[in-house]
Amino acid sequence: KAGVTQTPRYLIKTRGQQVTLSCSPISGHRSVSWYQQTPGQGLQFLFEYFSETQRNKGNFPGRFSGRQFSNSRSEMNVSTLELGDSALYLCASSSRTGAETGELFFGEGSRLTVL
Amino acid sequence: LAKTTQPISMDSYEGQEVNITCSHNNIATNDYITWYQQFPSQGPRFIIQGYKTKVTNEVASLFIPADRKSSTLSLPRVSLSDTAVYYCLVGGGSSNTGKLIFGQGTTLQVKP
């Protein structure tokens, strides 16, 4: 069974630009959640989607958005990039039950550097 | 949402058993306890999950006392490759489905 795939793995952007990150969950998983990880703040929850609906959202500004497609693949977008957006963005896939209990399967992450 | 508290760091030597305790005083009735391992620049990896008493798998054991206000991850005979950050996660139920909050984690350093 293939794991969670995130693309791209690494990217460099400049301030003011926007970025789109993609996540393909494990086959059969309908829940996809996104996390931002930085050395200072640790792992912070961004949002979670289940069957194309956003069920929960973390405390991030509106520049951070996401969506989920009918095949459960998900994308997140960050507009008007700031230096502080430099981070490892992690996607986690889970079943319906797993999303409730905390059994998450993470991808390798997308490392974003904003210059 | 249940908040978790773990030691920031721990040191151990190869071959020893390591126990990492997580405190979660306001755990809810339907919350599960899950532990993850993370290596630098990789996503966290699921280790073990439990609800009460003791759970064991091929890599670790999880001990949960009757009041469930804490849990202990036990790693038997650690090796250098077990050097990583370990996260305790508490969550469950439908009220905050998908919104799972990670704590600061415990950095385990295994020495030769």
PDB file of all heavy atoms in Angstrom, chain B residues 53-85:
ATOM      1  N   THR B  53      -5.160   0.644  30.175  1.00  0.00           N
ATOM      2  CA  THR B  53      -4.261  -0.450  30.598  1.00  0.00           C
ATOM      3  C   THR B  53      -2.995  -0.481  29.773  1.00  0.00           C
ATOM      4  O   THR B  53      -2.300   0.512  29.677  1.00  0.00           O
ATOM      5  CB  THR B  53      -4.991  -1.812  30.599  1.00  0.00           C
ATOM      6  OG1 THR B  53      -5.401  -2.144  29.275  1.00  0.00           O
ATOM      7  CG2 THR B  53      -6.199  -1.757  31.497  1.00  0.00           C
ATOM      8  N   LYS B  54      -2.678  -1.612  29.184  1.00  0.00           N
ATOM      9  CA  LYS B  54      -1.386  -1.767  28.515  1.00  0.00           C
ATOM     10  C   LYS B  54      -1.579  -2.251  27.095  1.00  0.00           C
ATOM     11  O   LYS B  54      -2.411  -3.108  26.819  1.00  0.00           O
ATOM     12  CB  LYS B  54      -0.524  -2.762  29.296  1.00  0.00           C
ATOM     13  CG  LYS B  54       0.825  -3.058  28.655  1.00  0.00           C
ATOM     14  CD  LYS B  54       1.566  -4.125  29.434  1.00  0.00           C
ATOM     15  CE  LYS B  54       2.835  -4.552  28.704  1.00  0.00           C
ATOM     16  NZ  LYS B  54       3.553  -5.640  29.410  1.00  0.00           N
ATOM     17  N   VAL B  55      -0.791  -1.648  26.201  1.00  0.00           N
ATOM     18  CA  VAL B  55      -0.783  -2.068  24.804  1.00  0.00           C
ATOM     19  C   VAL B  55       0.665  -2.343  24.424  1.00  0.00           C
ATOM     20  O   VAL B  55       1.564  -1.583  24.809  1.00  0.00           O
ATOM     21  CB  VAL B  55      -1.360  -0.968  23.889  1.00  0.00           C
ATOM     22  CG1 VAL B  55      -1.343  -1.424  22.437  1.00  0.00           C
ATOM     23  CG2 VAL B  55      -2.762  -0.581  24.320  1.00  0.00           C
ATOM     24  N   THR B  56       0.893  -3.396  23.678  1.00  0.00           N
ATOM     25  CA  THR B  56       2.252  -3.727  23.242  1.00  0.00           C
ATOM     26  C   THR B  56       2.241  -4.075  21.774  1.00  0.00           C
ATOM     27  O   THR B  56       1.331  -4.760  21.304  1.00  0.00           O
ATOM     28  CB  THR B  56       2.810  -4.914  24.064  1.00  0.00           C
ATOM     29  OG1 THR B  56       2.878  -4.532  25.438  1.00  0.00           O
ATOM     30  CG2 THR B  56       4.205  -5.286  23.598  1.00  0.00           C
ATOM     31  N   ASN B  57       3.246  -3.584  21.050  1.00  0.00           N
ATOM     32  CA  ASN B  57       3.444  -4.023  19.670  1.00  0.00           C
ATOM     33  C   ASN B  57       4.911  -4.387  19.491  1.00  0.00           C
ATOM     34  O   ASN B  57       5.653  -4.507  20.479  1.00  0.00           O
ATOM     35  CB  ASN B  57       2.950  -2.974  18.670  1.00  0.00           C
ATOM     36  CG  ASN B  57       3.692  -1.660  18.745  1.00  0.00           C
ATOM     37  OD1 ASN B  57       4.822  -1.599  19.257  1.00  0.00           O
ATOM     38  ND2 ASN B  57       3.077  -0.612  18.252  1.00  0.00           N
ATOM     39  N   GLU B  58       5.338  -4.534  18.258  1.00  0.00           N
ATOM     40  CA  GLU B  58       6.686  -5.039  18.015  1.00  0.00           C
ATOM     41  C   GLU B  58       7.772  -4.033  18.355  1.00  0.00           C
ATOM     42  O   GLU B  58       8.940  -4.389  18.448  1.00  0.00           O
ATOM     43  CB  GLU B  58       6.831  -5.497  16.563  1.00  0.00           C
ATOM     44  CG  GLU B  58       6.641  -4.405  15.532  1.00  0.00           C
ATOM     45  CD  GLU B  58       5.182  -4.131  15.186  1.00  0.00           C
ATOM     46  OE1 GLU B  58       4.303  -4.707  15.853  1.00  0.00           O
ATOM     47  OE2 GLU B  58       4.950  -3.335  14.273  1.00  0.00           O
ATOM     48  N   VAL B  59       7.423  -2.765  18.544  1.00  0.00           N
ATOM     49  CA  VAL B  59       8.455  -1.767  18.805  1.00  0.00           C
ATOM     50  C   VAL B  59       8.354  -1.107  20.178  1.00  0.00           C
ATOM     51  O   VAL B  59       9.348  -0.561  20.673  1.00  0.00           O
ATOM     52  CB  VAL B  59       8.458  -0.663  17.722  1.00  0.00           C
ATOM     53  CG1 VAL B  59       8.759  -1.257  16.370  1.00  0.00           C
ATOM     54  CG2 VAL B  59       7.164   0.115  17.701  1.00  0.00           C
ATOM     55  N   ALA B  60       7.183  -1.121  20.804  1.00  0.00           N
ATOM     56  CA  ALA B  60       7.028  -0.387  22.050  1.00  0.00           C
ATOM     57  C   ALA B  60       5.871  -0.928  22.874  1.00  0.00           C
ATOM     58  O   ALA B  60       5.070  -1.731  22.391  1.00  0.00           O
ATOM     59  CB  ALA B  60       6.788   1.095  21.748  1.00  0.00           C
ATOM     60  N   SER B  61       5.814  -0.446  24.116  1.00  0.00           N
ATOM     61  CA  SER B  61       4.666  -0.714  24.983  1.00  0.00           C
ATOM     62  C   SER B  61       4.129   0.619  25.483  1.00  0.00           C
ATOM     63  O   SER B  61       4.891   1.581  25.637  1.00  0.00           O
ATOM     64  CB  SER B  61       5.066  -1.585  26.176  1.00  0.00           C
ATOM     65  OG  SER B  61       5.444  -2.872  25.766  1.00  0.00           O
ATOM     66  N   LEU B  62       2.847   0.632  25.739  1.00  0.00           N
ATOM     67  CA  LEU B  62       2.198   1.839  26.239  1.00  0.00           C
ATOM     68  C   LEU B  62       1.444   1.459  27.506  1.00  0.00           C
ATOM     69  O   LEU B  62       0.598   0.557  27.481  1.00  0.00           O
ATOM     70  CB  LEU B  62       1.246   2.397  25.190  1.00  0.00           C
ATOM     71  CG  LEU B  62       0.422   3.626  25.556  1.00  0.00           C
ATOM     72  CD1 LEU B  62       1.327   4.788  25.946  1.00  0.00           C
ATOM     73  CD2 LEU B  62      -0.482   4.025  24.397  1.00  0.00           C
ATOM     74  N   PHE B  63       1.779   2.141  28.601  1.00  0.00           N
ATOM     75  CA  PHE B  63       1.144   1.876  29.885  1.00  0.00           C
ATOM     76  C   PHE B  63       0.234   3.048  30.246  1.00  0.00           C
ATOM     77  O   PHE B  63       0.673   4.205  30.255  1.00  0.00           O
ATOM     78  CB  PHE B  63       2.200   1.686  30.981  1.00  0.00           C
ATOM     79  CG  PHE B  63       3.104   0.516  30.733  1.00  0.00           C
ATOM     80  CD1 PHE B  63       4.306   0.690  30.054  1.00  0.00           C
ATOM     81  CD2 PHE B  63       2.773  -0.751  31.167  1.00  0.00           C
ATOM     82  CE1 PHE B  63       5.154  -0.388  29.811  1.00  0.00           C
ATOM     83  CE2 PHE B  63       3.604  -1.821  30.936  1.00  0.00           C
ATOM     84  CZ  PHE B  63       4.786  -1.652  30.260  1.00  0.00           C
ATOM     85  N   ILE B  64      -1.008   2.744  30.551  1.00  0.00           N
ATOM     86  CA  ILE B  64      -1.983   3.774  30.894  1.00  0.00           C
ATOM     87  C   ILE B  64      -2.632   3.389  32.217  1.00  0.00           C
ATOM     88  O   ILE B  64      -3.283   2.337  32.308  1.00  0.00           O
ATOM     89  CB  ILE B  64      -3.063   3.905  29.797  1.00  0.00           C
ATOM     90  CG1 ILE B  64      -2.398   4.145  28.432  1.00  0.00           C
ATOM     91  CG2 ILE B  64      -4.031   5.036  30.131  1.00  0.00           C
ATOM     92  CD1 ILE B  64      -3.342   4.005  27.255  1.00  0.00           C
ATOM     93  N   PRO B  65      -2.474   4.216  33.269  1.00  0.00           N
ATOM     94  CA  PRO B  65      -3.079   3.885  34.557  1.00  0.00           C
ATOM     95  C   PRO B  65      -4.593   4.039  34.501  1.00  0.00           C
ATOM     96  O   PRO B  65      -5.140   4.584  33.543  1.00  0.00           O
ATOM     97  CB  PRO B  65      -2.454   4.914  35.502  1.00  0.00           C
ATOM     98  CG  PRO B  65      -2.099   6.069  34.626  1.00  0.00           C
ATOM     99  CD  PRO B  65      -1.730   5.477  33.304  1.00  0.00           C
ATOM    100  N   ALA B  66      -5.242   3.578  35.550  1.00  0.00           N
ATOM    101  CA  ALA B  66      -6.705   3.560  35.567  1.00  0.00           C
ATOM    102  C   ALA B  66      -7.320   4.955  35.413  1.00  0.00           C
ATOM    103  O   ALA B  66      -8.346   5.105  34.752  1.00  0.00           O
ATOM    104  CB  ALA B  66      -7.200   2.918  36.861  1.00  0.00           C
ATOM    105  N   ASP B  67      -6.698   5.982  35.979  1.00  0.00           N
ATOM    106  CA  ASP B  67      -7.292   7.325  35.873  1.00  0.00           C
ATOM    107  C   ASP B  67      -7.005   7.991  34.529  1.00  0.00           C
ATOM    108  O   ASP B  67      -7.559   9.047  34.228  1.00  0.00           O
ATOM    109  CB  ASP B  67      -6.839   8.215  37.031  1.00  0.00           C
ATOM    110  CG  ASP B  67      -5.351   8.531  36.989  1.00  0.00           C
ATOM    111  OD1 ASP B  67      -4.671   8.137  36.019  1.00  0.00           O
ATOM    112  OD2 ASP B  67      -4.854   9.164  37.927  1.00  0.00           O
ATOM    113  N   ARG B  68      -6.135   7.410  33.736  1.00  0.00           N
ATOM    114  CA  ARG B  68      -5.784   7.859  32.377  1.00  0.00           C
ATOM    115  C   ARG B  68      -5.221   9.277  32.332  1.00  0.00           C
ATOM    116  O   ARG B  68      -5.180   9.895  31.271  1.00  0.00           O
ATOM    117  CB  ARG B  68      -6.995   7.757  31.450  1.00  0.00           C
ATOM    118  CG  ARG B  68      -7.561   6.372  31.387  1.00  0.00           C
ATOM    119  CD  ARG B  68      -8.473   6.043  30.219  1.00  0.00           C
ATOM    120  NE  ARG B  68      -9.217   7.146  29.667  1.00  0.00           N
ATOM    121  CZ  ARG B  68      -9.135   7.541  28.410  1.00  0.00           C
ATOM    122  NH1 ARG B  68      -8.318   6.923  27.575  1.00  0.00           N
ATOM    123  NH2 ARG B  68      -9.867   8.543  27.979  1.00  0.00           N
ATOM    124  N   LYS B  69      -4.797   9.815  33.427  1.00  0.00           N
ATOM    125  CA  LYS B  69      -4.270  11.187  33.426  1.00  0.00           C
ATOM    126  C   LYS B  69      -2.807  11.250  33.001  1.00  0.00           C
ATOM    127  O   LYS B  69      -2.218  12.329  32.896  1.00  0.00           O
ATOM    128  CB  LYS B  69      -4.440  11.804  34.816  1.00  0.00           C
ATOM    129  CG  LYS B  69      -5.903  12.057  35.180  1.00  0.00           C
ATOM    130  CD  LYS B  69      -6.015  12.746  36.518  1.00  0.00           C
ATOM    131  CE  LYS B  69      -7.457  12.909  36.965  1.00  0.00           C
ATOM    132  NZ  LYS B  69      -8.254  13.752  36.060  1.00  0.00           N
ATOM    133  N   SER B  70      -2.222  10.107  32.751  1.00  0.00           N
ATOM    134  CA  SER B  70      -0.855  10.070  32.234  1.00  0.00           C
ATOM    135  C   SER B  70      -0.696   8.792  31.424  1.00  0.00           C
ATOM    136  O   SER B  70      -1.570   7.914  31.454  1.00  0.00           O
ATOM    137  CB  SER B  70       0.168  10.104  33.375  1.00  0.00           C
ATOM    138  OG  SER B  70       0.087   8.906  34.124  1.00  0.00           O
ATOM    139  N   SER B  71       0.396   8.715  30.692  1.00  0.00           N
ATOM    140  CA  SER B  71       0.714   7.493  29.968  1.00  0.00           C
ATOM    141  C   SER B  71       2.227   7.410  29.847  1.00  0.00           C
ATOM    142  O   SER B  71       2.925   8.438  29.902  1.00  0.00           O
ATOM    143  CB  SER B  71       0.055   7.464  28.590  1.00  0.00           C
ATOM    144  OG  SER B  71       0.456   8.574  27.805  1.00  0.00           O
ATOM    145  N   THR B  72       2.735   6.197  29.697  1.00  0.00           N
ATOM    146  CA  THR B  72       4.182   6.001  29.592  1.00  0.00           C
ATOM    147  C   THR B  72       4.490   5.148  28.377  1.00  0.00           C
ATOM    148  O   THR B  72       3.972   4.032  28.245  1.00  0.00           O
ATOM    149  CB  THR B  72       4.741   5.329  30.849  1.00  0.00           C
ATOM    150  OG1 THR B  72       4.486   6.179  31.986  1.00  0.00           O
ATOM    151  CG2 THR B  72       6.245   5.104  30.727  1.00  0.00           C
ATOM    152  N   LEU B  73       5.326   5.703  27.516  1.00  0.00           N
ATOM    153  CA  LEU B  73       5.826   4.962  26.362  1.00  0.00           C
ATOM    154  C   LEU B  73       7.101   4.262  26.788  1.00  0.00           C
ATOM    155  O   LEU B  73       8.010   4.908  27.312  1.00  0.00           O
ATOM    156  CB  LEU B  73       6.126   5.917  25.205  1.00  0.00           C
ATOM    157  CG  LEU B  73       6.803   5.294  23.983  1.00  0.00           C
ATOM    158  CD1 LEU B  73       5.817   4.416  23.221  1.00  0.00           C
ATOM    159  CD2 LEU B  73       7.374   6.375  23.066  1.00  0.00           C
ATOM    160  N   SER B  74       7.182   2.975  26.562  1.00  0.00           N
ATOM    161  CA  SER B  74       8.363   2.209  26.937  1.00  0.00           C
ATOM    162  C   SER B  74       9.022   1.643  25.688  1.00  0.00           C
ATOM    163  O   SER B  74       8.380   0.936  24.902  1.00  0.00           O
ATOM    164  CB  SER B  74       7.980   1.076  27.897  1.00  0.00           C
ATOM    165  OG  SER B  74       9.123   0.344  28.276  1.00  0.00           O
ATOM    166  N   LEU B  75      10.301   1.988  25.512  1.00  0.00           N
ATOM    167  CA  LEU B  75      11.078   1.490  24.378  1.00  0.00           C
ATOM    168  C   LEU B  75      12.114   0.508  24.920  1.00  0.00           C
ATOM    169  O   LEU B  75      13.013   0.908  25.655  1.00  0.00           O
ATOM    170  CB  LEU B  75      11.773   2.645  23.659  1.00  0.00           C
ATOM    171  CG  LEU B  75      10.878   3.766  23.149  1.00  0.00           C
ATOM    172  CD1 LEU B  75      11.713   4.939  22.645  1.00  0.00           C
ATOM    173  CD2 LEU B  75       9.959   3.262  22.050  1.00  0.00           C
ATOM    174  N   PRO B  76      12.005  -0.758  24.591  1.00  0.00           N
ATOM    175  CA  PRO B  76      12.941  -1.736  25.142  1.00  0.00           C
ATOM    176  C   PRO B  76      14.265  -1.721  24.385  1.00  0.00           C
ATOM    177  O   PRO B  76      14.283  -1.622  23.160  1.00  0.00           O
ATOM    178  CB  PRO B  76      12.216  -3.066  24.923  1.00  0.00           C
ATOM    179  CG  PRO B  76      11.361  -2.821  23.720  1.00  0.00           C
ATOM    180  CD  PRO B  76      10.974  -1.374  23.748  1.00  0.00           C
ATOM    181  N   ARG B  77      15.370  -1.777  25.110  1.00  0.00           N
ATOM    182  CA  ARG B  77      16.677  -1.921  24.516  1.00  0.00           C
ATOM    183  C   ARG B  77      16.889  -0.965  23.338  1.00  0.00           C
ATOM    184  O   ARG B  77      16.967  -1.389  22.185  1.00  0.00           O
ATOM    185  CB  ARG B  77      16.915  -3.359  24.081  1.00  0.00           C
ATOM    186  CG  ARG B  77      16.831  -4.357  25.225  1.00  0.00           C
ATOM    187  CD  ARG B  77      17.126  -5.767  24.725  1.00  0.00           C
ATOM    188  NE  ARG B  77      18.466  -5.862  24.136  1.00  0.00           N
ATOM    189  CZ  ARG B  77      19.588  -5.960  24.812  1.00  0.00           C
ATOM    190  NH1 ARG B  77      19.573  -5.969  26.151  1.00  0.00           N
ATOM    191  NH2 ARG B  77      20.765  -6.047  24.194  1.00  0.00           N
ATOM    192  N   VAL B  78      16.989   0.315  23.615  1.00  0.00           N
ATOM    193  CA  VAL B  78      17.112   1.308  22.544  1.00  0.00           C
ATOM    194  C   VAL B  78      18.464   1.190  21.850  1.00  0.00           C
ATOM    195  O   VAL B  78      19.456   0.724  22.413  1.00  0.00           O
ATOM    196  CB  VAL B  78      16.920   2.747  23.083  1.00  0.00           C
ATOM    197  CG1 VAL B  78      15.494   2.936  23.567  1.00  0.00           C
ATOM    198  CG2 VAL B  78      17.935   3.078  24.167  1.00  0.00           C
ATOM    199  N   SER B  79      18.488   1.643  20.602  1.00  0.00           N
ATOM    200  CA  SER B  79      19.718   1.707  19.819  1.00  0.00           C
ATOM    201  C   SER B  79      19.918   3.153  19.362  1.00  0.00           C
ATOM    202  O   SER B  79      19.040   4.001  19.559  1.00  0.00           O
ATOM    203  CB  SER B  79      19.630   0.779  18.606  1.00  0.00           C
ATOM    204  OG  SER B  79      18.592   1.216  17.739  1.00  0.00           O
ATOM    205  N   LEU B  80      21.058   3.415  18.744  1.00  0.00           N
ATOM    206  CA  LEU B  80      21.351   4.776  18.288  1.00  0.00           C
ATOM    207  C   LEU B  80      20.272   5.292  17.345  1.00  0.00           C
ATOM    208  O   LEU B  80      19.969   6.488  17.314  1.00  0.00           O
ATOM    209  CB  LEU B  80      22.708   4.819  17.598  1.00  0.00           C
ATOM    210  CG  LEU B  80      23.927   4.500  18.471  1.00  0.00           C
ATOM    211  CD1 LEU B  80      25.203   4.494  17.625  1.00  0.00           C
ATOM    212  CD2 LEU B  80      24.061   5.488  19.615  1.00  0.00           C
ATOM    213  N   SER B  81      19.679   4.393  16.578  1.00  0.00           N
ATOM    214  CA  SER B  81      18.669   4.795  15.597  1.00  0.00           C
ATOM    215  C   SER B  81      17.342   5.214  16.239  1.00  0.00           C
ATOM    216  O   SER B  81      16.444   5.682  15.539  1.00  0.00           O
ATOM    217  CB  SER B  81      18.411   3.664  14.602  1.00  0.00           C
ATOM    218  OG  SER B  81      17.898   2.534  15.275  1.00  0.00           O
ATOM    219  N   ASP B  82      17.219   5.025  17.531  1.00  0.00           N
ATOM    220  CA  ASP B  82      16.020   5.483  18.234  1.00  0.00           C
ATOM    221  C   ASP B  82      16.132   6.939  18.656  1.00  0.00           C
ATOM    222  O   ASP B  82      15.176   7.494  19.221  1.00  0.00           O
ATOM    223  CB  ASP B  82      15.760   4.612  19.471  1.00  0.00           C
ATOM    224  CG  ASP B  82      15.366   3.195  19.123  1.00  0.00           C
ATOM    225  OD1 ASP B  82      14.541   3.030  18.193  1.00  0.00           O
ATOM    226  OD2 ASP B  82      15.881   2.249  19.752  1.00  0.00           O
ATOM    227  N   THR B  83      17.264   7.563  18.399  1.00  0.00           N
ATOM    228  CA  THR B  83      17.420   9.001  18.665  1.00  0.00           C
ATOM    229  C   THR B  83      16.450   9.766  17.780  1.00  0.00           C
ATOM    230  O   THR B  83      16.516   9.696  16.554  1.00  0.00           O
ATOM    231  CB  THR B  83      18.867   9.447  18.379  1.00  0.00           C
ATOM    232  OG1 THR B  83      19.741   8.829  19.307  1.00  0.00           O
ATOM    233  CG2 THR B  83      18.990  10.968  18.486  1.00  0.00           C
ATOM    234  N   ALA B  84      15.520  10.459  18.410  1.00  0.00           N
ATOM    235  CA  ALA B  84      14.434  11.113  17.673  1.00  0.00           C
ATOM    236  C   ALA B  84      13.617  11.956  18.656  1.00  0.00           C
ATOM    237  O   ALA B  84      13.901  11.981  19.846  1.00  0.00           O
ATOM    238  CB  ALA B  84      13.532  10.071  17.017  1.00  0.00           C
ATOM    239  N   VAL B  85      12.623  12.630  18.130  1.00  0.00           N
ATOM    240  CA  VAL B  85      11.662  13.343  18.972  1.00  0.00           C
ATOM    241  C   VAL B  85      10.402  12.488  19.071  1.00  0.00           C
ATOM    242  O   VAL B  85       9.924  11.948  18.068  1.00  0.00           O
ATOM    243  CB  VAL B  85      11.301  14.722  18.380  1.00  0.00           C
ATOM    244  CG1 VAL B  85      10.273  15.427  19.273  1.00  0.00           C
ATOM    245  CG2 VAL B  85      12.541  15.577  18.224  1.00  0.00           C
TER     246      VAL B  85
END
